[in-house]
Structure formats: structure tokens, C-alpha cells
Amino acid sequence: MSIQIVVPEVGESIVDARVARWLKNEGDAVTAGEALVELETDKVDVEVAAPKSGVLKSIAHAAGADVKIGETLGTMEEGTSGTSGTSGTSGTTGTSGTTGTSGTTGTSGTTGQPAEAQRAKPDTKALPAEARRAEVGATPSARRAARENDVALSSVASSGPRVTKADVDRAGKSPQPAAKAPEPKEDRAPAKAPAPAPPRAARTVDDARETRERMSKRRSTIARRLVEAQQTAALLTTFNEVDMSAVMDLRTRHKETFKTRHGIGLGIASFFVKAAVTALKEFPRLNAEIQGDEIVLKHYYDIGMAVGAAEGLVVPVIRDADSASFAGIEGAIRDFAKRANDGTLTLEDLRGGTFSITNGGVYGSLMSTPIVNPPQVGILGLHAIKERPAAVTGQVVLRPMMYIALTYDHRIVDGAEAVRFLVRIKELVEDPGALLVEN
């Protein structure tokens, strides 16, 4: 019986995908639950597994094709996947009643020999390299990294249930054994003089100076959404600067105790998440969105934390950040960063969000104007901490200072409201004890 392989529903906001690569070839035997094809969406990469055991009969969309949710990717023939897959007069492996002389299910349909005898024969047909790699449990990003760095997945030591991109990166950095130099051969005749090289052709303008590559699905979506945000929203950015002395001093005094108790370091991001939640409660329009001619005010605080990954920026969400502890926030941020690098973030990690925070300071950015993540109407930008002269009680002293930026949608957030919101964050971070009272 033929079974259609369709593009599954992967999320309410995802309507299409791109075929990244097929892990099986037409005619390959597969078992139920085995990955057949890797799809690339604008948020996560997903694998489509075989619904039942059988044989991959046909592929409707090759790698690189864009497909819609519910569209047929290919078909497979249900049957026993443990057959040898050799071809004779039978058109389908592992099914009964084909044109072979045997009608018994489980035979190859070519010779009429018992299934046990067929299975006893060694399979001399080598599997394609892609199929061999597909047999190794690995994330889609790990497979992509292995292809790009020419690393065999079968040789990569996994740090978890599946090989991740980080595992492949580590394997790629490991020194490879040097190839054995060929032994010198005895010269039996004098070497012939090499033929003169043909005259070199004139270099063309685009000769080896430019390359073209297709945008990934995620990069294409990032580009489209960023342009949409600037075309549909009235974006403005306001700035302030924060004296980080109190936070730095608190971290110095409590970092060892915090790490011993919670098993994780105390960073600065958790202070800004807590400050943002407090400020959002006081200025609720920054925690809203526009739907038609209505403003939807949200009374929950799901804070998106922008994370840079090899495939592009992702914004996983800390759910109910108002009720999360400092340790819970720090743990979530570090987990997001690790899984973004490994390519193991799920769609649920990225869904929703009422307000976002991005930290360009980790890359050394001193000041920037972040772009809101629609349909949100505000995003807080953090930057590098630098010592700068500041006036303190009539004296000029060096203090660790950070510029902070708030980009907001002026359609529903007034300038005065945005400035006061940012000032409130500044006040809370400069007096971190207030965060304990407010939360």
C-alpha cells in the first residue's frame, strides 16, 4: 500500500518550508520512525520520519525546493524494511505480489527463494555516503556542519543522545592523522621535460572574485521581517546610560555563593530582565501589540532574549519572567545559547514573546538601534560596559557605564512614555536592591 509523505504542521506561524536534503534515496528500505528528509523552516529545522516500515518509492520534491504545509514530499510503499533491496523484475522491495516469482511477504521478489535465504546473503551494494551519514543520530545543524567541514558523523563522539553541532565542531578541530607519504619509486627512465604551459587567459571581472549562495529559509525570513518591521511600524529609539557599579559590586560579593547554591554564574542579563518586567507593569503599552484598530494589552510577561547563532538570529522566550528567579533566568539564557549553537531549539522555545532584550555588548557594541520583533512594540538594547568619567557628589570619577537603548513603535507608545520607561530601568539597575522589593 502506498503512503504519502507530507510536510507536517510545525507551528501556527509557519506556512512553508524548504527541502534541505533527503536522508534516503528512492528504493531505500526504511523502518518506522526513521528520518527520511530534513526540512528547513524560518525558525527551526525539522526531520520528517517514515510513518511505517517499507521502501521509499518516489521523491516529489528534491533538495532546495520550497513546499507548503500538507504538500506531498514523496511516497513510500508499506512493507518489511529488512529486505535486501536488490532489483530484479520486481518494482518494489519488501512487498508481496510483485512481478517476482515469490509472492511471500519479506522476499525480494526476484528469485522466489525463502526470505531467510535472502537475508543470509551479504549485501554487497554499498550504501551511498549520504545514507550512511543519515544512520547516525544527529541534529540537522550537526549534519550541515559535517558536510561543510568534511567530517564523518560516524567518527564524531556525541555528548548526548544525538550528535550536535558543537560535537562536530570539536571533532573538526581535532588533529587528523597525516597521510602516509608514498614510497619513492626507482627511476627507470630520464624524466621527460614538462610541456610548456599554455598562455594564461585574461582574467575576467568576476573570475573567482564573487560567489553566490542561496539564502537559508531562516535568513530569508529574518530579512523579510526586519524590512516589514521598518515599513509597517513607526520606529523610534531613545537612549540612556546606566552606572553598573552597584550591580558589579553585588556580583563580586555574591557570585561564589550564588554559583555554589544554584550551580550557575550570576550575570547581568537577569537584572535587566527583572527591571524590564517591573517597568512593563508600570508602562503596559510597551507590553502590547496592535491587531487591526485595537491595542491588545498583555498581562503576562514573556521576555524574548535575542541569541546569535550560526544560522541567524533567534529569539527564544523566557515564559512568565515575572515569576522566575534570578537563577532561573540565568539558567534559561545559558540553555538557550547552548541549544541555539547546537541547533536543538524547538518551535515552542521561539513562539510568542511580549517584549524582547538584545545584548550587542557581548560582541563589543557600544551603541546601537535595535529593531523590534513584530508584533511586539518594544525592544531593549544592552551594550558593552566601559569605564567612563562620571560626576558623583561633585567629583569626577571613573565608573563602569553602559549605554542602553529602547526602540519602540510610536503608533501606540508616546515619546514621553518610552523615555520614562527607560529611565525606570536605569533606576532599578543602579539600585538592584529595589528589584528585590519590586519583585
Side-chain angles (χ1 to χ4, degrees), residues 396-419:
V396 177
V397 296
L398 287 177
R399 289 295 179 93
M401 306 295 290
M402 176 196 286
Y403 290 119
I404 56 176
L406 172 71
T407 298
Y408 59 98
D409 191 342
H410 209 346
R411 291 181 297 171
I412 63 171
V413 180
D414 292 332
E417 191 176 7
V419 171

Side-chain angles (χ1 to χ4, degrees), residues 12-18 40-43 66 68 215-233 235 313 371-375:
E12 58 186 13
S13 62
I14 297 178
V15 296
D16 59 4
R18 179 172 296 161
E40 183 183 280
T41 74
D42 55 2
K43 292 185 177 180
D66 289 332
K68 301 291 185 181
M215 279 189 182
S216 68
K217 195 70 177 175
R218 183 184 300 174
R219 173 55 58 190
S220 178
T221 301
I222 290 172
R224 175 175 51 80
R225 286 176 61 83
L226 291 179
V227 172
E228 286 177 358
Q230 292 190 317
Q231 289 179 341
T232 60
L235 300 182
L313 184 74
I371 301 177
V372 297
N373 183 24

Side-chain angles (χ1 to χ4, degrees), residues 61-401:
H61 295 282
D66 289 332
V67 291
K68 301 291 185 181
I69 301 300
E71 193 169 349
T72 300
L73 292 165
T75 59
M76 61 176 293
E77 196 75 19
E78 184 180 358
T80 305
S81 63
T83 61
S84 65
T86 55
S87 60
T89 56
S90 172
T92 306
T93 303
T95 59
S96 61
T98 56
T99 58
T101 56
S102 173
T104 307
T105 302
T107 65
S108 66
T110 56
T111 62
Q113 296 179 9
E116 292 76 15
Q118 289 288 329
R119 285 194 294 267
K121 292 183 179 181
D123 187 5
T124 57
K125 182 180 179 181
L127 285 172
E130 294 293 324
R132 288 197 300 272
R133 285 197 291 270
E135 293 177 351
V136 180
T139 63
S141 61
R143 291 198 182 98
R144 186 178 298 110
R147 293 197 306 271
E148 293 172 352
N149 297 291
D150 196 23
V151 174
L153 282 176
S154 58
S155 66
V156 178
S158 173
S159 57
R162 295 200 297 172
V163 175
T164 65
K165 181 177 180 295
D167 297 330
V168 175
D169 291 341
R170 282 193 296 270
K173 293 176 182 177
S174 301
Q176 301 295 326
K180 185 178 179 180
E183 297 195 9
K185 295 182 179 180
E186 181 182 354
D187 291 337
R188 300 184 180 273
K192 185 180 293 184
R200 186 173 181 178
R203 185 184 184 91
T204 59
V205 175
D206 59 346
D207 181 23
R209 301 183 68 180
E210 294 180 357
T211 58
R212 288 177 181 266
E213 60 180 29
R214 190 181 186 186
M215 279 189 182
S216 68
K217 195 70 177 175
R218 183 184 300 174
R219 173 55 58 190
S220 178
T221 301
I222 290 172
R224 175 175 51 80
R225 286 176 61 83
L226 291 179
V227 172
E228 286 177 358
Q230 292 190 317
Q231 289 179 341
T232 60
L235 300 182
L236 288 179
T237 304
T238 184
F239 300 92
N240 213 315
E241 63 177 344
V242 179
D243 185 346
M244 299 295 294
S245 299
V247 169
M248 304 288 279
D249 180 61
L250 188 150
R251 291 178 65 219
T252 301
R253 288 185 287 112
H254 296 287
K255 64 180 181 180
E256 294 299 331
T257 303
F258 189 90
K259 189 168 185 178
T260 300
R261 180 173 298 176
H262 302 291
I264 194 170
L266 178 61
I268 65 170
S270 53
F271 291 92
F272 281 98
V273 170
K274 284 295 187 183
V277 169
T278 300
L280 288 170
K281 291 179 179 179
E282 298 178 18
F283 302 93
R285 285 180 183 268
L286 278 152
N287 200 53
E289 70 174 81
I290 297 176
Q291 291 185 4
D293 59 354
E294 295 180 330
I295 298 174
V296 181
L297 299 171
K298 301 177 181 180
H299 306 294
Y300 55 94
Y301 305 91
D302 291 350
I303 307 299
M305 299 298 297
V307 178
E311 298 299 316
L313 184 74
V314 290
V315 189
V317 178
I318 301 174
R319 310 289 175 187
D320 299 317
D322 54 327
S323 60
S325 65
F326 278 78
I329 293 171
E330 292 292 343
I333 293 172
R334 280 159 176 73
D335 178 60
F336 287 153
K338 180 180 182 300
R339 291 196 288 133
N341 186 56
D342 292 346
T344 55
L345 285 172
T346 66
L347 191 63
E348 185 60 31
D349 295 325
L350 306 172
R351 182 180 287 117
T354 61
F355 184 83
S356 293
I357 298 176
T358 180
N359 186 3
V362 298
Y363 304 109
S365 173
L366 193 61
M367 186 179 291
S368 67
T369 55
I371 301 177
V372 297
N373 183 24
Q376 299 171 22
V377 297
I379 182 171
L380 176 67
L382 312 183
H383 300 93
I385 299 173
K386 300 290 184 181
E387 284 194 340
R388 289 194 290 272
V392 180
T393 61
Q395 294 184 337
V396 177
V397 296
L398 287 177
R399 289 295 179 93
M401 306 295 290

